[in-house]
Amino acid sequence: MAHKISSKLLWQQGDSWRLRLDMLQLPDGRTAQKGAVEHPGAVVLVPIRPSAQGPEVLMLRQYRHVLDTVILELPAGTRGWDEPWLTCAQRELREETGHRAETFTSLGQVWPAPGLSDELMQLYLAEELTPAPLPGDEDEAIEVVPMPLTELETMAWDGRLLDAKSIVAILRAVHLLAQR
Amino acid sequence: MAHKISSKLLWQQGDSWRLRLDMLQLPDGRTAQKGAVEHPGAVVLVPIRPSAQGPEVLMLRQYRHVLDTVILELPAGTRGWDEPWLTCAQRELREETGHRAETFTSLGQVWPAPGLSDELMQLYLAEELTPAPLPGDEDEAIEVVPMPLTELETMAWDGRLLDAKSIVAILRAVHLLAQR
């Protein structure tokens, strides 16, 4: 197995993720450079509320700079390096949807991109929503779109939903709610 | 919405992904720098075969440098920039599991990390496996672990499986196979 000879920090995205470069020694003696994104982690939220047509989820249509397109996804956001997970969850929920939740239930954790980044995402079902907006990030372009949970489940199965974290969190929410 | 003023390439991981830095103008007139990972895309494979106990999947226990740990995940790999998706799928399957597949069935696509990277993953069910090894990457430390599909489904629901791409691909494979 390769082992690390040296490391340096190449770049940092504000007070968020940073790119580290590691010099590795390979089993055959050669060396290779490998990039590793150090990430503070993120929360992913399934904000759900009852409606006459059954449970609905506050989804986002959000412009994603790196894709240069608007995508459908759950509210989510990067944690401050020392921020408690539930503080981050409530803050991101208020910034992105204008609502706070009375209860957060864990839907587990995922690594979104372990070949590239050490980011860990904490997934939560967020319930008992009430309006409580906070100003969002300057560079975010977000529209809140309430959608039926059943429609989102269908989209997670048939491929119309493309955002991996949203697929996992929605399917786990459906699974949890079916067990109540 | 923010718009891009200028761009430069900061770093490139061999002939694979690269980090671009964009200078953005924000709606309030200030400028901000944003990192964007340009990625050639990847394939994710669910190599499945019959066994006396029901369908089993060739999973990997793979050392992930950035996490500094061994994780359980599906075979997957980065595409060459001009490589056809199915060529990449067959190559990665042979390199990582020592098997080729007669049939590949699409399980859709996902963006693993659209806040950071434009990587698109193509998910495939890989069937009718026969031994046909190819040498793997020098810096990969991989062990192939056949596991029952039903156990993996349980692990995807209860959170023991942490790799997002593997959760989506396994659940979609279960869903597809249930419809046959």
Side-chain angles (χ1 to χ4, degrees):
Chain A
M1 198 164 73
H3 75 269
K4 187 157 60 178
I5 303 168
S6 66
S7 256
K8 65 174 179 184
L9 185 66
L10 184 68
W11 189 74
Q12 175 139 1
Q13 175 72 68
D15 54 2
S16 176
W17 60 271
R18 50 202 181 210
L19 181 64
R20 190 184 77 217
L21 290 191
D22 293 337
M23 185 63 75
L24 303 181
Q25 180 145 35
L26 302 183
D28 67 1
R30 287 180 306 152
T31 57
Q33 210 176 30
K34 194 164 175 78
V37 171
E38 297 181 347
H39 196 287
V43 296
V44 180
L45 304 160
V46 186
I48 199 162
R49 65 184 181 195
S51 85
Q53 287 75 42
E56 68 180 14
V57 177
L58 302 185
M59 297 292 293
L60 305 183
R61 289 196 193 279
Q62 179 167 14
Y63 176 76
R64 286 303 197 167
H65 176 77
V66 67
L67 295 171
D68 192 22
T69 193
V70 172
I71 75 169
L72 182 69
E73 61 184 316
L74 286 169
T78 302
R79 188 175 70 103
W81 285 96
D82 297 318
E83 189 178 26
W85 290 100
L86 283 174
T87 306
C88 175
Q90 191 73 284
R91 176 180 58 73
E92 288 287 348
L93 187 62
R94 294 179 64 191
E95 287 177 7
E96 295 199 332
T97 73
H99 291 73
R100 54 169 282 125
E102 205 55 48
T103 65
F104 291 89
T105 306
S106 176
L107 298 169
Q109 310 172 328
V110 298
W111 290 306
L116 178 71
S117 164
D118 65 359
E119 179 176 6
L120 181 73
M121 290 177 155
Q122 298 278 357
L123 319 181
Y124 296 102
L125 186 67
E127 295 173 284
E128 299 174 71
L129 309 178
T130 48
L134 275 181
D137 288 347
E138 270 289 341
D139 64 343
E140 289 185 338
I142 290 178
E143 177 194 2
V144 179
V145 191
M147 293 180 68
L149 180 61
T150 53
E151 182 183 353
L152 290 167
E153 183 190 5
T154 303
M155 293 173 73
W157 289 128
D158 71 16
R160 277 179 295 156
L161 196 57
L162 282 155
D163 179 51
K165 66 181 180 295
S166 301
I167 297 168
V168 174
I170 283 166
L171 292 178
R172 284 200 181 154
V174 169
H175 194 71
L176 176 75
L177 291 170
Q179 292 172 327
R180 280 192 181 161
Chain B
M1 197 164 73
H3 76 269
K4 186 157 62 179
I5 303 168
S6 65
S7 256
K8 65 175 179 184
L9 186 67
L10 184 68
W11 188 72
Q12 174 139 4
Q13 175 72 67
D15 54 4
S16 178
W17 60 272
R18 49 203 181 209
L19 180 64
R20 190 184 75 215
L21 289 191
D22 294 336
M23 186 62 76
L24 303 183
Q25 179 144 34
L26 303 182
D28 67 1
R30 288 180 305 151
T31 58
Q33 208 176 34
K34 193 164 175 79
V37 171
E38 298 182 346
H39 195 287
V43 295
V44 180
L45 304 160
V46 186
I48 199 162
R49 65 185 180 195
S51 86
Q53 287 75 42
E56 68 180 13
V57 177
L58 303 184
M59 296 293 292
L60 305 183
R61 289 196 193 279
Q62 180 167 13
Y63 175 76
R64 286 302 196 168
H65 175 76
V66 68
L67 294 171
D68 192 23
T69 193
V70 172
I71 75 170
L72 182 69
E73 62 183 317
L74 287 169
T78 302
R79 188 175 70 103
W81 284 96
D82 297 318
E83 190 179 24
W85 291 99
L86 283 174
T87 306
C88 175
Q90 191 72 282
R91 175 180 58 72
E92 289 288 347
L93 187 63
R94 294 179 65 190
E95 287 177 8
E96 294 199 333
T97 73
H99 290 76
R100 54 168 282 126
E102 205 55 48
T103 65
F104 290 90
T105 306
S106 176
L107 298 169
Q109 309 172 329
V110 298
W111 290 307
L116 180 69
S117 162
D118 65 359
E119 179 175 7
L120 181 73
M121 290 178 154
Q122 297 279 357
L123 319 181
Y124 297 102
L125 186 67
E127 294 173 286
E128 298 174 71
L129 309 179
T130 48
L134 275 181
D137 289 346
E138 270 290 338
D139 64 342
E140 290 185 337
I142 291 178
E143 177 195 1
V144 179
V145 191
M147 294 179 69
L149 180 60
T150 52
E151 182 183 353
L152 291 167
E153 184 190 3
T154 302
M155 294 173 72
W157 289 130
D158 71 16
R160 277 179 295 156
L161 197 57
L162 282 156
D163 179 51
K165 66 181 181 295
S166 300
I167 298 168
V168 174
I170 283 167
L171 291 179
R172 284 199 180 154
V174 169
H175 194 72
L176 176 76
L177 292 170
Q179 292 172 328
R180 278 192 183 161

mmCIF file of all heavy atoms in Angstrom, chain B residues 63-92:
data_model
loop_
_atom_site.group_PDB
_atom_site.id
_atom_site.type_symbol
_atom_site.label_atom_id
_atom_site.label_comp_id
_atom_site.label_asym_id
_atom_site.label_seq_id
_atom_site.Cartn_x
_atom_site.Cartn_y
_atom_site.Cartn_z
ATOM 1 N N TYR B 63 -8.980 0.603 0.713
ATOM 2 C CA TYR B 63 -8.362 1.668 1.501
ATOM 3 C C TYR B 63 -8.589 2.991 0.793
ATOM 4 O O TYR B 63 -8.259 3.136 -0.390
ATOM 5 C CB TYR B 63 -6.859 1.425 1.667
ATOM 6 C CG TYR B 63 -6.173 2.570 2.381
ATOM 7 C CD1 TYR B 63 -6.302 2.717 3.755
ATOM 8 C CD2 TYR B 63 -5.432 3.512 1.681
ATOM 9 C CE1 TYR B 63 -5.699 3.781 4.418
ATOM 10 C CE2 TYR B 63 -4.819 4.581 2.329
ATOM 11 C CZ TYR B 63 -4.961 4.704 3.704
ATOM 12 O OH TYR B 63 -4.375 5.752 4.357
ATOM 13 N N ARG B 64 -9.176 3.950 1.499
ATOM 14 C CA ARG B 64 -9.398 5.280 0.934
ATOM 15 C C ARG B 64 -8.455 6.267 1.592
ATOM 16 O O ARG B 64 -8.558 6.565 2.793
ATOM 17 C CB ARG B 64 -10.858 5.697 1.125
ATOM 18 C CG ARG B 64 -11.809 4.960 0.194
ATOM 19 C CD ARG B 64 -11.434 5.176 -1.254
ATOM 20 N NE ARG B 64 -12.502 4.811 -2.188
ATOM 21 C CZ ARG B 64 -12.478 5.138 -3.488
ATOM 22 N NH1 ARG B 64 -11.441 5.802 -3.997
ATOM 23 N NH2 ARG B 64 -13.462 4.769 -4.289
ATOM 24 N N HIS B 65 -7.544 6.761 0.771
ATOM 25 C CA HIS B 65 -6.459 7.616 1.241
ATOM 26 C C HIS B 65 -6.970 8.818 2.046
ATOM 27 O O HIS B 65 -6.482 9.110 3.136
ATOM 28 C CB HIS B 65 -5.657 8.078 0.025
ATOM 29 C CG HIS B 65 -4.592 9.045 0.351
ATOM 30 N ND1 HIS B 65 -3.413 8.661 0.936
ATOM 31 C CD2 HIS B 65 -4.534 10.388 0.240
ATOM 32 C CE1 HIS B 65 -2.675 9.730 1.156
ATOM 33 N NE2 HIS B 65 -3.332 10.789 0.737
ATOM 34 N N VAL B 66 -7.978 9.520 1.506
ATOM 35 C CA VAL B 66 -8.402 10.774 2.124
ATOM 36 C C VAL B 66 -9.083 10.527 3.483
ATOM 37 O O VAL B 66 -9.044 11.380 4.371
ATOM 38 C CB VAL B 66 -9.291 11.597 1.166
ATOM 39 C CG1 VAL B 66 -10.630 10.910 0.934
ATOM 40 C CG2 VAL B 66 -9.518 13.007 1.679
ATOM 41 N N LEU B 67 -9.704 9.344 3.647
ATOM 42 C CA LEU B 67 -10.324 8.988 4.933
ATOM 43 C C LEU B 67 -9.341 8.253 5.844
ATOM 44 O O LEU B 67 -9.607 8.070 7.030
ATOM 45 C CB LEU B 67 -11.543 8.084 4.701
ATOM 46 C CG LEU B 67 -12.734 8.699 3.966
ATOM 47 C CD1 LEU B 67 -13.763 7.625 3.626
ATOM 48 C CD2 LEU B 67 -13.374 9.787 4.826
ATOM 49 N N ASP B 68 -8.243 7.789 5.279
ATOM 50 C CA ASP B 68 -7.251 6.970 5.988
ATOM 51 C C ASP B 68 -7.909 5.772 6.667
ATOM 52 O O ASP B 68 -7.612 5.446 7.819
ATOM 53 C CB ASP B 68 -6.456 7.808 6.995
ATOM 54 C CG ASP B 68 -5.232 7.041 7.525
ATOM 55 O OD1 ASP B 68 -4.767 6.105 6.837
ATOM 56 O OD2 ASP B 68 -4.755 7.364 8.633
ATOM 57 N N THR B 69 -8.812 5.116 5.932
ATOM 58 C CA THR B 69 -9.465 3.932 6.469
ATOM 59 C C THR B 69 -9.932 3.037 5.314
ATOM 60 O O THR B 69 -9.964 3.470 4.158
ATOM 61 C CB THR B 69 -10.651 4.317 7.386
ATOM 62 O OG1 THR B 69 -11.066 3.174 8.128
ATOM 63 C CG2 THR B 69 -11.831 4.828 6.596
ATOM 64 N N VAL B 70 -10.273 1.802 5.658
ATOM 65 C CA VAL B 70 -10.802 0.863 4.671
ATOM 66 C C VAL B 70 -12.320 0.955 4.686
ATOM 67 O O VAL B 70 -12.929 0.876 5.760
ATOM 68 C CB VAL B 70 -10.345 -0.576 4.999
ATOM 69 C CG1 VAL B 70 -11.036 -1.588 4.091
ATOM 70 C CG2 VAL B 70 -8.827 -0.684 4.875
ATOM 71 N N ILE B 71 -12.943 1.137 3.537
ATOM 72 C CA ILE B 71 -14.405 1.238 3.506
ATOM 73 C C ILE B 71 -14.993 0.137 2.629
ATOM 74 O O ILE B 71 -14.310 -0.433 1.767
ATOM 75 C CB ILE B 71 -14.898 2.628 3.039
ATOM 76 C CG1 ILE B 71 -14.738 2.816 1.518
ATOM 77 C CG2 ILE B 71 -14.180 3.756 3.771
ATOM 78 C CD1 ILE B 71 -15.431 4.062 0.986
ATOM 79 N N LEU B 72 -16.267 -0.163 2.889
ATOM 80 C CA LEU B 72 -17.021 -1.126 2.092
ATOM 81 C C LEU B 72 -17.758 -0.348 1.018
ATOM 82 O O LEU B 72 -18.516 0.582 1.313
ATOM 83 C CB LEU B 72 -18.025 -1.860 2.987
ATOM 84 C CG LEU B 72 -18.869 -2.937 2.305
ATOM 85 C CD1 LEU B 72 -18.009 -4.138 1.912
ATOM 86 C CD2 LEU B 72 -20.015 -3.371 3.217
ATOM 87 N N GLU B 73 -17.538 -0.729 -0.247
ATOM 88 C CA GLU B 73 -18.168 0.011 -1.345
ATOM 89 C C GLU B 73 -18.265 -0.870 -2.573
ATOM 90 O O GLU B 73 -17.646 -1.939 -2.651
ATOM 91 C CB GLU B 73 -17.374 1.279 -1.657
ATOM 92 C CG GLU B 73 -15.938 1.016 -2.115
ATOM 93 C CD GLU B 73 -15.147 2.307 -2.355
ATOM 94 O OE1 GLU B 73 -15.692 3.250 -2.956
ATOM 95 O OE2 GLU B 73 -13.976 2.352 -1.931
ATOM 96 N N LEU B 74 -19.039 -0.427 -3.533
ATOM 97 C CA LEU B 74 -19.121 -1.110 -4.822
ATOM 98 C C LEU B 74 -17.880 -0.796 -5.656
ATOM 99 O O LEU B 74 -17.247 0.240 -5.469
ATOM 100 C CB LEU B 74 -20.353 -0.629 -5.594
ATOM 101 C CG LEU B 74 -21.700 -1.115 -5.074
ATOM 102 C CD1 LEU B 74 -22.832 -0.354 -5.757
ATOM 103 C CD2 LEU B 74 -21.856 -2.621 -5.309
ATOM 104 N N PRO B 75 -17.554 -1.687 -6.611
ATOM 105 C CA PRO B 75 -16.524 -1.339 -7.589
ATOM 106 C C PRO B 75 -16.931 -0.066 -8.349
ATOM 107 O O PRO B 75 -18.104 0.097 -8.695
ATOM 108 C CB PRO B 75 -16.508 -2.544 -8.537
ATOM 109 C CG PRO B 75 -17.171 -3.650 -7.782
ATOM 110 C CD PRO B 75 -18.135 -3.011 -6.835
ATOM 111 N N ALA B 76 -15.979 0.809 -8.571
ATOM 112 C CA ALA B 76 -16.257 2.079 -9.239
ATOM 113 C C ALA B 76 -14.939 2.631 -9.731
ATOM 114 O O ALA B 76 -13.883 2.254 -9.218
ATOM 115 C CB ALA B 76 -16.914 3.059 -8.280
ATOM 116 N N GLY B 77 -14.987 3.526 -10.686
ATOM 117 C CA GLY B 77 -13.732 4.092 -11.140
ATOM 118 C C GLY B 77 -13.935 5.268 -12.061
ATOM 119 O O GLY B 77 -14.981 5.415 -12.688
ATOM 120 N N THR B 78 -12.893 6.075 -12.104
ATOM 121 C CA THR B 78 -12.933 7.296 -12.897
ATOM 122 C C THR B 78 -12.762 6.975 -14.379
ATOM 123 O O THR B 78 -11.951 6.142 -14.762
ATOM 124 C CB THR B 78 -11.812 8.244 -12.441
ATOM 125 O OG1 THR B 78 -12.000 8.519 -11.052
ATOM 126 C CG2 THR B 78 -11.838 9.545 -13.205
ATOM 127 N N ARG B 79 -13.556 7.662 -15.184
ATOM 128 C CA ARG B 79 -13.514 7.516 -16.636
ATOM 129 C C ARG B 79 -12.337 8.311 -17.193
ATOM 130 O O ARG B 79 -11.971 9.358 -16.649
ATOM 131 C CB ARG B 79 -14.833 8.090 -17.181
ATOM 132 C CG ARG B 79 -15.103 7.885 -18.637
ATOM 133 C CD ARG B 79 -16.495 8.402 -18.990
ATOM 134 N NE ARG B 79 -16.558 9.850 -18.923
ATOM 135 C CZ ARG B 79 -16.551 10.655 -19.985
ATOM 136 N NH1 ARG B 79 -16.509 10.146 -21.203
ATOM 137 N NH2 ARG B 79 -16.605 11.960 -19.835
ATOM 138 N N GLY B 80 -11.710 7.812 -18.271
ATOM 139 C CA GLY B 80 -10.808 8.670 -19.033
ATOM 140 C C GLY B 80 -11.636 9.767 -19.686
ATOM 141 O O GLY B 80 -12.813 9.562 -19.984
ATOM 142 N N TRP B 81 -11.024 10.944 -19.910
ATOM 143 C CA TRP B 81 -11.804 12.092 -20.411
ATOM 144 C C TRP B 81 -12.567 11.754 -21.699
ATOM 145 O O TRP B 81 -13.673 12.250 -21.907
ATOM 146 C CB TRP B 81 -10.907 13.313 -20.624
ATOM 147 C CG TRP B 81 -10.534 13.974 -19.330
ATOM 148 C CD1 TRP B 81 -9.379 13.770 -18.618
ATOM 149 C CD2 TRP B 81 -11.308 14.916 -18.568
ATOM 150 N NE1 TRP B 81 -9.395 14.533 -17.458
ATOM 151 C CE2 TRP B 81 -10.562 15.258 -17.413
ATOM 152 C CE3 TRP B 81 -12.547 15.521 -18.756
ATOM 153 C CZ2 TRP B 81 -11.020 16.161 -16.448
ATOM 154 C CZ3 TRP B 81 -13.009 16.424 -17.798
ATOM 155 C CH2 TRP B 81 -12.251 16.735 -16.664
ATOM 156 N N ASP B 82 -11.990 10.909 -22.561
ATOM 157 C CA ASP B 82 -12.658 10.588 -23.824
ATOM 158 C C ASP B 82 -13.143 9.143 -23.879
ATOM 159 O O ASP B 82 -13.507 8.641 -24.942
ATOM 160 C CB ASP B 82 -11.694 10.832 -25.001
ATOM 161 C CG ASP B 82 -11.300 12.293 -25.089
ATOM 162 O OD1 ASP B 82 -12.190 13.147 -24.915
ATOM 163 O OD2 ASP B 82 -10.104 12.569 -25.310
ATOM 164 N N GLU B 83 -13.120 8.447 -22.742
ATOM 165 C CA GLU B 83 -13.451 7.027 -22.730
ATOM 166 C C GLU B 83 -14.966 6.813 -22.766
ATOM 167 O O GLU B 83 -15.696 7.441 -22.004
ATOM 168 C CB GLU B 83 -12.867 6.399 -21.454
ATOM 169 C CG GLU B 83 -12.931 4.878 -21.407
ATOM 170 C CD GLU B 83 -12.303 4.298 -20.126
ATOM 171 O OE1 GLU B 83 -12.241 5.007 -19.102
ATOM 172 O OE2 GLU B 83 -11.869 3.139 -20.172
ATOM 173 N N PRO B 84 -15.474 5.917 -23.635
ATOM 174 C CA PRO B 84 -16.909 5.606 -23.612
ATOM 175 C C PRO B 84 -17.294 4.979 -22.267
ATOM 176 O O PRO B 84 -16.502 4.234 -21.672
ATOM 177 C CB PRO B 84 -17.067 4.597 -24.754
ATOM 178 C CG PRO B 84 -15.869 4.784 -25.629
ATOM 179 C CD PRO B 84 -14.765 5.214 -24.705
ATOM 180 N N TRP B 85 -18.499 5.277 -21.791
ATOM 181 C CA TRP B 85 -18.928 4.826 -20.457
ATOM 182 C C TRP B 85 -18.859 3.312 -20.301
ATOM 183 O O TRP B 85 -18.378 2.802 -19.281
ATOM 184 C CB TRP B 85 -20.354 5.312 -20.163
ATOM 185 C CG TRP B 85 -20.439 6.799 -19.987
ATOM 186 C CD1 TRP B 85 -20.841 7.714 -20.931
ATOM 187 C CD2 TRP B 85 -20.093 7.550 -18.818
ATOM 188 N NE1 TRP B 85 -20.767 8.981 -20.403
ATOM 189 C CE2 TRP B 85 -20.321 8.915 -19.108
ATOM 190 C CE3 TRP B 85 -19.622 7.214 -17.557
ATOM 191 C CZ2 TRP B 85 -20.091 9.937 -18.180
ATOM 192 C CZ3 TRP B 85 -19.394 8.235 -16.626
ATOM 193 C CH2 TRP B 85 -19.624 9.568 -16.945
ATOM 194 N N LEU B 86 -19.326 2.560 -21.299
ATOM 195 C CA LEU B 86 -19.345 1.102 -21.142
ATOM 196 C C LEU B 86 -17.949 0.490 -21.228
ATOM 197 O O LEU B 86 -17.676 -0.539 -20.611
ATOM 198 C CB LEU B 86 -20.291 0.456 -22.153
ATOM 199 C CG LEU B 86 -21.777 0.592 -21.771
ATOM 200 C CD1 LEU B 86 -22.674 0.052 -22.899
ATOM 201 C CD2 LEU B 86 -22.075 -0.160 -20.464
ATOM 202 N N THR B 87 -17.067 1.123 -21.981
ATOM 203 C CA THR B 87 -15.662 0.689 -22.003
ATOM 204 C C THR B 87 -15.060 0.858 -20.612
ATOM 205 O O THR B 87 -14.369 -0.037 -20.089
ATOM 206 C CB THR B 87 -14.856 1.530 -23.024
ATOM 207 O OG1 THR B 87 -15.512 1.468 -24.287
ATOM 208 C CG2 THR B 87 -13.424 1.030 -23.141
ATOM 209 N N CYS B 88 -15.339 1.998 -20.017
ATOM 210 C CA CYS B 88 -14.868 2.270 -18.655
ATOM 211 C C CYS B 88 -15.456 1.264 -17.668
ATOM 212 O O CYS B 88 -14.742 0.744 -16.791
ATOM 213 C CB CYS B 88 -15.266 3.693 -18.278
ATOM 214 S SG CYS B 88 -14.887 4.149 -16.579
ATOM 215 N N ALA B 89 -16.760 0.967 -17.802
ATOM 216 C CA ALA B 89 -17.432 0.031 -16.890
ATOM 217 C C ALA B 89 -16.772 -1.352 -16.940
ATOM 218 O O ALA B 89 -16.458 -1.946 -15.908
ATOM 219 C CB ALA B 89 -18.920 -0.066 -17.236
ATOM 220 N N GLN B 90 -16.552 -1.863 -18.161
ATOM 221 C CA GLN B 90 -15.941 -3.189 -18.297
ATOM 222 C C GLN B 90 -14.489 -3.189 -17.783
ATOM 223 O O GLN B 90 -14.065 -4.125 -17.098
ATOM 224 C CB GLN B 90 -15.994 -3.639 -19.778
ATOM 225 C CG GLN B 90 -15.642 -5.081 -20.022
ATOM 226 C CD GLN B 90 -16.725 -6.066 -19.551
ATOM 227 O OE1 GLN B 90 -16.832 -6.328 -18.345
ATOM 228 N NE2 GLN B 90 -17.507 -6.601 -20.479
ATOM 229 N N ARG B 91 -13.748 -2.132 -18.079
ATOM 230 C CA ARG B 91 -12.354 -2.032 -17.629
ATOM 231 C C ARG B 91 -12.269 -2.012 -16.101
ATOM 232 O O ARG B 91 -11.500 -2.781 -15.491
ATOM 233 C CB ARG B 91 -11.708 -0.770 -18.229
ATOM 234 C CG ARG B 91 -10.293 -0.498 -17.746
ATOM 235 C CD ARG B 91 -9.678 0.762 -18.356
ATOM 236 N NE ARG B 91 -10.450 1.972 -18.104
ATOM 237 C CZ ARG B 91 -10.529 2.580 -16.913
ATOM 238 N NH1 ARG B 91 -9.875 2.080 -15.861
ATOM 239 N NH2 ARG B 91 -11.246 3.685 -16.766
ATOM 240 N N GLU B 92 -13.069 -1.150 -15.477
ATOM 241 C CA GLU B 92 -13.027 -1.052 -14.010
ATOM 242 C C GLU B 92 -13.473 -2.357 -13.348
ATOM 243 O O GLU B 92 -12.927 -2.770 -12.330
ATOM 244 C CB GLU B 92 -13.891 0.121 -13.517
ATOM 245 C CG GLU B 92 -13.309 1.489 -13.826
ATOM 246 C CD GLU B 92 -12.082 1.841 -12.965
ATOM 247 O OE1 GLU B 92 -11.812 1.141 -11.966
ATOM 248 O OE2 GLU B 92 -11.387 2.807 -13.314
#
